[in-house]
Amino acid sequence: MEVAVNLELKTLNVKQDITYYNTSNDSLVSIVLNDWNNAFADKNTPLAKRFSDEFYRGFHLAKAADRGKTTILNLLDPNFIALEWERDGKNPDYITVKLNRKLAPGEKIDLHLTYISKIPNDKFTRFGFDQNGGMALKNWFISPARFEDHNFIKYNNFNLDDIANAVTSYEIAIKIPNQYSITTDLNSVSKDVSNSDYSIYSFSGKDRTDFSLFIEKQNGFRTYANESIEIATNLKSKKIDEIQKAIIIDRVASFAENFIGKYPHEKITVSQIDYDRNPFYGLNQLPSFISPFSDDFIFEIQFLKTFLNTYLQNSLRLDPRKDNWVYDGIQIYAMMKYMEENHMDQKMLGRLSNMKLFKSYNITNLTFNEQYSYYYMLMARKNLDQPLGDPKNTLIKFNEQIASKYRAGLSLSYLDDYLNHNIVPESVKEFYNLNKQQQTNRYDFEKILTKKSPKNLDWFFNTIIDSRDIIDYKFSNVSRTADSVKFSIKNKTGFYAPIPVYGIKKKEVVFKEWIEPKTKDSVYEFDRKNADKIVLNYDNEVPEYNQRNNWKSLKHIAVTNRPIKFNFAKDLEDPFYNQILYLPTLTYNYYDGFTPGIRFSNKTILDKPFNFDINPAYSLKAGTISGSSAFSWNQYYRNSTLYNVRYSISQNYFHYAPDATYLRLNPMVLFRIREKDFRDNRKQQFLFRQIIVKREASEFITDNSEPNYSVFNARYSNTKTELIDHFSFMTDLQFSGGFGKVSGEVEYRRLFENNRKLNLRLYAGSFLYNKTNSDYFSFGLDRPTDYLFDYNLFGRSETSGFFSQQYVIAEGGFKSQLEPAFANQWMTTLNTSYAVWNWIELYGDIGFLKNKHQKEFFAYDTGVRLNLVPDYFELYFPVYSNNGWEIAQTKYNEKIRFIITFSPKTLVTLFTRKWF
């Protein structure tokens, strides 16, 4: 390639010659070329849709100048005659070149291309042009795709660093202005500075699948070299001198060479961008003033993770999307071995583990390597884990970046511990060396492991790698003598995997034996060695679903009750204790005032089947006891679209008026359904509940409504949401002694290419029968009475004043307060809003409502909506309605409506939805 860099236009003008060797056994009539830079061309590419699925707004809102694209000027054959090529509209990131003749096995062909690469802004993926005038370049050029199993691999760019290029040798000349420098992991050949305005750098690289290129005004990279490799890095570091850095870098590079194999290239870049794209998630990301780790350890763990990732990506000739688990497995497995060699005593919480304040927490006792299993188990307990062998692009983001990556490393560590013959490390080295000779796939790695192992490993590949089957064992029929212990094992899930049994005496391991419980009636007997407890999977080698059933006391066989342990706030699950977590709470409503309380729960960081949450509180304004409680049981179905059934009962006791309390009981069953594709954002729910309400009489409430009532509610919802499109459908059925009603709601949101946003909501509801004599159970036009107590209304009984202006998107959905405000027969409304600039929207509502003995009433209103944070913080300013020009009327401030959500759990979903 000859590349001329235009930093003002953010373009690369490329003249490229490709000599393509057909190393396959097939005759080729076409060649596929990857063009991943063109994935940034518009808002409808697969990459753009991926951004939308993960709720990233930046790309959709970006200007055309910030996007990238590839403009191919010509594509010629060896005789410089134009070749026919096509770019599928749905797949803009690769092109198919039709050859003028068949390319037989062993033959080669020359292609000549001229094109312009418009580089995108780095705010989308961190690669691209930056605000300082430089560029960080990855996947910016056109390259031949990988050929495997008689076909070219055609992958879209999903921002996953998994381009499947053919192994290629490069010769590149790059022309840049003199005041800029270049850093790359290619070999430097020459530098021509004869021109006063620009320099021409020449680089080469042999047998590579990709390379990185960094163009900067001020070179931020420092180079470190040992006898084997030259390392250029710009990783940020605080309070670490160059000598410390050099020692750490040399230690990591030497370890990688000894443990994995010699790097096949002379240079490697370890950039801050690569780390930021895939950081080490944990406490090391905290600001330095509260970080529990030293600055040099943080730099070491960041460098280690990024170095190993780049080391493997540039060496292994795998399909990086289909065989991704091999990359992840070797990387994390190597990190675990490095920590064992160099930081054996390092804890997950660093120096916090030494503080008396945290000694009672289970999380402080975990070693640094033990945290990996908890990140995986976080997803397994949510029933969101995915098979390690699944392609990378099918993984939800948390699995792709964290849980699956860590489990892959844990799985190799598990296999290593089980085989116990240095088989896994030797297999890693042999496989790594095989990649220097030929293109490989995951099955080459599996063949090496199988060949070296004295035991059958089918269970490892079938269960651990290619399924999401869970492992869960427990003891049964335990007996002991002074010298021996005898037991059988119950397999709770039916999926076989070997597991270690430990004998523990006063927290010290006195024996460890691997067992292989392949039959239900297997009985095991071991020397007791004075053990007072036997434990399955004590060091968490096996990715086991539930460790709370893994131990038996040998002092008192019949006694299995765990002692209770209290912890403040949160902790990891401790299998040897019944944990009760406590945390101060503070809530508010107009009648109770500020209500401090204390929450007691058993909800640790990992989900568990049974949860309780008891929150006694004291209402400062009312001077009475109040509070809430909830008890729930989750039943998960691993291999069904109906993946969760939740049984629960909750209770609330607060004031609903200045002088009156309410008690609400809510037994409920919730069925949750998801698509087979875990990345699909469609979710469905069936909810069945009985709402039982007991209210004290109040002199402030004169609506003749029944103070005590019970309502059966059945509800179905179907929601598919992402950044561009949101669609939801909900039906609701309610029966009580005094009424029966049915309603439905359809909501649609669309973000257009001009960045305007349209919101539509259609609501319709009708009474099946209504024997009540008040509007308490009627449909509300501008705010529901909330007789089911579903909404967090600060002043639910207020009809005037500030708290009456709180708005809830429910039932009629109007913003203006009109008369009649309720419908005791039927209601149909349409709510619309349209963004005119940023978060400023115009809204309009129309509807019909019908009351007994009255004609239908046509309602309408219009106004301005400040949609600051959708569904969480919004303001509504009425302009014109049935009331006339509201903006010109007196006390206009009392007509303004607001939405405010203070619930931390609700707000957190804004940030977690892109991960799950």
Side-chain angles (χ1 to χ4, degrees):
M1 284 186 283
E2 295 178 5
V3 184
V5 180
N6 189 323
L7 292 166
E8 290 185 6
L9 297 179
K10 313 296 189 295
T11 60
L12 307 177
N13 297 300
V14 183
K15 183 180 179 183
Q16 181 173 345
D17 299 322
I18 298 175
T19 302
Y20 187 88
Y21 293 83
N22 184 5
T23 57
S24 74
N25 295 321
D26 300 317
S27 293
L28 304 179
V29 295
S30 63
I31 294 174
V32 174
L33 303 177
N34 286 324
D35 183 13
W36 275 24
N37 186 66
N38 203 56
F40 297 88
D42 59 54
K43 300 179 183 181
N44 299 306
T45 65
L47 177 62
K49 293 175 182 176
R50 182 92 172 188
F51 284 143
S52 180
D53 285 344
E54 295 180 353
F55 299 95
Y56 173 64
R57 295 174 60 86
F59 188 75
H60 192 86
L61 299 177
K63 300 175 182 177
D66 286 332
R67 296 198 186 90
K69 65 177 181 178
T70 304
T71 304
I72 298 178
L73 303 178
N74 56 57
L75 202 164
L76 310 175
D77 70 1
N79 299 315
F80 295 93
I81 298 173
L83 285 169
E84 184 181 349
W85 60 273
E86 62 182 18
R87 189 198 299 277
D88 184 352
K90 295 182 179 180
N91 302 290
D93 31 21
Y94 57 81
I95 61 178
T96 301
V97 182
K98 297 181 179 180
L99 303 179
N100 293 331
R101 62 175 179 82
K102 283 187 178 181
L103 188 65
E107 289 188 341
K108 67 177 182 178
I109 188 173
D110 291 330
L111 304 179
H112 307 286
L113 298 88
T114 306
Y115 57 94
I116 301 172
S117 288
K118 167 68 175 66
I119 303 302
N121 195 312
D122 68 353
K123 65 183 179 181
F124 307 135
T125 66
R126 299 185 189 274
F127 283 107
F129 69 84
D130 59 38
Q131 303 307 307
N132 300 318
M135 290 181 180
L137 301 176
K138 190 91 168 179
N139 308 146
W140 54 273
F141 55 92
I142 293 175
S143 56
R146 176 186 176 100
F147 190 90
E148 184 177 21
D149 294 333
H150 313 293
N151 289 294
F152 283 97
I153 305 298
K154 299 177 182 179
Y155 286 157
N156 297 120
N157 182 358
F158 290 130
N159 189 30
L160 296 173
D161 288 337
D162 60 351
I163 192 168
N165 285 334
V167 176
T168 306
S169 296
Y170 299 95
E171 292 181 3
I172 301 175
I174 304 177
K175 182 170 71 173
I176 62 170
N178 273 334
Q179 64 269 36
Y180 286 82
S181 65
I182 291 181
T183 302
T184 180
D185 46 2
L186 296 176
N187 299 325
S188 179
V189 176
S190 64
K191 178 181 178 182
D192 183 353
V193 293
S194 58
N195 191 290
S196 59
D197 295 326
Y198 58 83
S199 302
I200 299 176
Y201 293 80
S202 296
F203 301 100
S204 67
K206 186 178 180 183
D207 296 337
R208 304 180 65 100
T209 55
D210 202 3
F211 63 89
S212 299
L213 200 65
F214 302 89
I215 301 173
E216 302 172 290
K217 261 189 179 179
Q218 293 184 334
N219 192 342
F221 285 82
R222 291 293 302 269
T223 300
Y224 303 83
N226 60 23
E227 57 188 20
S228 300
I229 191 172
E230 181 181 309
I231 302 166
T233 181
N234 67 344
L235 271 187
K236 297 174 185 175
S237 59
K238 295 179 180 179
K239 302 176 184 176
I240 306 178
D241 59 39
E242 288 302 316
I243 295 177
Q244 287 177 293
K245 272 189 183 181
I247 292 171
I248 291 171
I249 290 171
D250 183 67
R251 182 162 63 228
V252 170
S254 298
F255 168 82
E257 182 171 330
N258 293 330
F259 186 76
I260 300 174
K262 184 174 175 58
Y263 190 63
H265 312 298
E266 297 176 18
K267 296 171 64 177
I268 188 171
T269 57
V270 181
S271 71
Q272 185 66 42
I273 290 173
D274 287 319
Y275 176 76
D276 290 340
R277 283 177 56 80
N278 207 327
F280 186 91
Y281 293 93
L283 292 175
N284 59 295
Q285 292 179 296
L286 293 171
S288 58
F289 67 92
I290 56 173
S291 174
F293 300 105
S294 63
D295 292 329
D296 58 335
F297 178 77
I298 291 174
F299 176 80
E300 186 170 3
I301 201 72
Q302 292 177 349
F303 181 83
L304 172 67
K305 187 172 192 293
T306 313
F307 179 83
L308 288 174
N309 183 61
T310 307
Y311 199 91
L312 295 169
Q313 290 286 346
N314 290 348
S315 304
L316 300 183
R317 302 183 187 181
L318 292 160
D319 180 332
R321 178 166 295 177
K322 187 173 67 175
D323 301 332
N324 177 62
W325 81 264
V326 181
Y327 287 98
D328 289 344
I330 296 175
Q331 180 198 17
I332 302 301
Y333 174 57
M335 289 183 68
M336 295 175 71
K337 288 296 184 182
Y338 179 89
M339 293 300 295
E340 289 175 7
E341 285 186 17
N342 297 281
H343 300 282
M344 187 67 181
D345 298 327
Q346 182 65 261
K347 297 290 187 181
M348 178 180 174
L349 288 188
R351 60 173 71 97
L352 295 181
S353 298
N354 300 322
M355 298 176 65
K356 290 184 178 180
L357 180 65
F358 300 105
K359 282 294 184 183
S360 64
Y361 288 84
N362 185 40
I363 195 172
T364 63
N365 298 316
L366 296 183
T367 65
F368 195 84
N369 279 345
E370 285 180 298
Q371 67 183 298
Y372 296 122
S373 65
Y374 282 92
Y375 280 111
Y376 154 67
M377 197 55 65
L378 185 72
M379 298 301 281
R381 293 284 187 89
K382 292 180 183 294
N383 201 6
L384 285 172
D385 56 306
Q386 295 171 269
L388 295 179
D390 279 6
K392 191 174 184 179
N393 64 307
T394 64
L395 303 179
I396 57 179
K397 189 172 182 179
F398 194 94
N399 286 334
E400 180 258 314
Q401 293 216 342
I402 304 175
S404 294
K405 185 181 290 287
Y406 290 172
R407 190 191 173 191
L410 284 166
S411 299
L412 290 181
S413 178
Y414 167 29
L415 188 62
D416 183 21
D417 202 311
Y418 167 63
L419 296 177
N420 199 26
H421 293 293
N422 207 33
I423 289 171
V424 174
E426 289 177 359
S427 298
V428 168
K429 284 184 178 180
E430 184 173 329
F431 178 66
Y432 188 80
N433 288 327
L434 180 65
N435 277 267
K436 296 177 182 178
Q437 305 166 21
Q438 66 184 57
Q439 183 170 281
T440 62
N441 57 44
R442 57 169 282 187
Y443 300 107
D444 295 313
F445 185 44
E446 293 174 10
K447 287 175 187 174
I448 293 171
L449 283 168
T450 303
K451 178 186 68 177
K452 288 183 173 292
S453 172
K455 301 179 180 180
N456 187 298
L457 298 183
D458 289 347
W459 62 270
F460 180 77
F461 303 116
N462 295 337
T463 300
I464 304 299
I465 304 300
D466 286 328
S467 82
R468 57 190 304 267
D469 298 332
I470 56 177
I471 303 164
D472 191 12
Y473 291 115
K474 66 178 291 187
F475 288 111
S476 63
N477 302 322
V478 178
S479 61
R480 86 285 193 220
T481 66
D483 299 320
S484 68
V485 57
K486 192 175 184 179
F487 58 87
S488 57
I489 293 292
K490 181 178 181 180
N491 187 336
K492 296 192 68 179
T493 61
F495 299 107
Y496 161 75
I499 196 165
V501 177
Y502 288 80
I504 307 296
K505 181 177 178 60
K506 296 180 179 179
K507 296 186 177 181
E508 295 292 328
V509 176
V510 293
F511 72 79
K512 174 186 178 183
E513 300 287 346
W514 280 90
I515 61 173
E516 302 178 13
K518 295 183 179 179
T519 60
K520 292 182 179 180
D521 54 355
S522 298
V523 178
Y524 304 90
E525 186 172 3
F526 298 113
D527 291 338
R528 182 172 173 178
K529 298 181 181 179
N530 296 320
D532 54 31
K533 188 186 298 181
I534 55 172
V535 184
L536 290 169
N537 200 22
Y538 182 70
D539 277 342
N540 210 9
E541 297 97 330
V542 183
E544 196 183 7
Y545 187 74
N546 180 18
Q547 289 188 279
R548 288 174 59 79
N549 56 13
N550 277 19
W551 67 280
K552 281 284 187 179
S553 171
L554 298 181
K555 293 180 180 178
H556 309 285
I557 291 292
V559 178
T560 57
N561 289 334
R562 302 173 183 83
I564 293 175
K565 181 169 71 169
F566 287 89
N567 285 122
F568 178 75
K570 284 282 189 182
D571 192 11
L572 282 178
E573 184 174 284
D574 191 332
F576 301 111
Y577 290 90
N578 284 315
Q579 294 158 287
I580 296 180
L581 307 160
Y582 61 94
L583 183 70
T585 61
L586 184 66
T587 59
Y588 176 84
N589 71 59
Y590 184 51
Y591 314 114
D592 289 292
F594 287 102
T595 307
I598 186 166
R599 170 173 284 129
F600 297 94
S601 76
N602 70 331
K603 188 169 176 56
T604 55
I605 294 172
L606 298 181
D607 289 357
K608 57 183 65 173
F610 174 72
N611 289 289
F612 67 82
D613 189 326
I614 303 172
N615 187 193
Y618 183 76
S619 303
L620 295 179
K621 186 174 181 179
T624 60
I625 298 296
S626 61
S628 62
S629 65
F631 303 86
S632 65
W633 176 267
N634 281 290
Q635 189 170 354
Y636 287 107
Y637 299 92
R638 301 283 297 175
N639 300 307
S640 171
T641 53
L642 172 63
Y643 74 103
N644 172 237
V645 178
R646 186 183 188 196
Y647 308 90
S648 67
I649 182 168
S650 62
Q651 167 271 329
N652 302 84
Y653 183 72
F654 293 99
H655 281 77
Y656 76 98
D659 59 344
T661 61
Y662 74 91
L663 172 66
R664 175 196 191 242
L665 295 177
N666 178 20
M668 180 174 71
V669 182
L670 177 66
F671 299 87
R672 300 167 68 194
I673 299 170
R674 67 182 172 201
E675 301 300 300
K676 290 183 179 180
D677 177 6
F678 282 20
R679 285 194 58 86
D680 194 317
N681 287 330
R682 183 182 300 281
K683 299 291 185 291
Q684 299 180 68
Q685 293 185 351
F686 288 91
L687 179 149
F688 301 93
R689 59 179 178 166
Q690 188 77 32
I691 309 293
I692 303 165
V693 177
K694 304 289 185 183
R695 294 187 298 164
E696 288 183 342
S698 169
E699 63 181 41
F700 293 91
I701 306 299
T702 58
D703 59 10
N704 298 320
S705 61
E706 289 291 328
N708 303 325
Y709 52 89
S710 177
V711 181
F712 171 76
N713 181 211
R715 182 176 295 175
Y716 167 73
S717 65
N718 185 324
T719 302
K720 183 175 177 64
T721 185
E722 39 96 9
L723 182 69
I724 308 302
D725 280 307
H726 166 91
F727 179 84
S728 66
F729 170 71
M730 186 269 289
T731 59
D732 188 87
L733 184 66
Q734 297 178 21
F735 289 107
S736 182
F739 71 91
K741 64 199 300 190
V742 63
S743 63
E745 176 185 309
V746 178
E747 185 176 15
Y748 178 70
R749 300 176 187 172
R750 172 73 180 180
L751 184 62
F752 296 105
E753 288 199 30
N754 62 2
N755 295 332
R756 304 290 191 208
K757 189 174 184 179
L758 175 67
N759 299 271
L760 298 172
R761 176 181 175 269
L762 176 66
Y763 177 82
S766 176
F767 278 91
L768 303 175
Y769 60 91
N770 187 0
K771 296 184 277 186
T772 63
N773 58 359
S774 79
D775 278 324
Y776 184 63
F777 299 105
S778 297
F779 296 108
L781 183 64
D782 68 270
R783 190 170 86 158
T785 58
D786 192 28
Y787 52 87
L788 298 182
F789 291 86
D790 283 336
Y791 305 112
N792 184 26
L793 296 176
F794 300 122
R796 63 178 55 251
S797 298
E798 298 303 295
T799 57
S800 62
F802 176 74
F803 290 106
S804 70
Q805 296 170 235
Q806 184 180 0
Y807 176 67
V808 175
I809 305 175
E811 297 186 357
F814 270 58
K815 291 78 182 177
S816 293
Q817 297 172 324
L818 308 177
E819 289 294 338
F822 299 98
N824 58 27
Q825 276 195 294
W826 56 263
M827 172 187 288
T828 301
T829 61
L830 175 66
N831 314 125
T832 66
S833 65
Y834 184 74
V836 292
W837 180 80
N838 218 345
W839 36 262
I840 299 177
E841 301 179 10
L842 301 180
Y843 73 79
D845 306 310
I846 58 172
F848 289 91
L849 60 154
K850 177 69 169 67
N851 284 287
K852 295 176 182 177
H853 315 301
Q854 296 180 17
K855 290 184 178 181
E856 296 87 350
F857 175 72
F858 175 66
Y860 61 91
D861 70 1
T862 59
V864 177
R865 175 191 190 190
L866 300 187
N867 191 8
L868 302 173
V869 183
D871 302 331
Y872 300 95
F873 182 45
E874 304 179 14
L875 294 174
Y876 295 85
F877 298 87
V879 175
Y880 188 77
S881 70
N882 294 79
N883 294 331
W885 285 100
E886 299 198 45
I887 199 168
Q889 296 171 3
T890 59
K891 297 183 179 180
Y892 179 74
N893 60 304
E894 296 180 8
K895 298 176 181 289
I896 298 170
R897 307 296 293 275
F898 65 88
I899 292 176
I900 296 179
T901 300
F902 290 123
S903 168
K905 184 178 180 180
T906 305
L907 290 171
V908 162
T909 59
L910 277 174
F911 305 99
T912 59
R913 61 186 181 178
K914 69 179 181 180
W915 289 95
F916 305 110

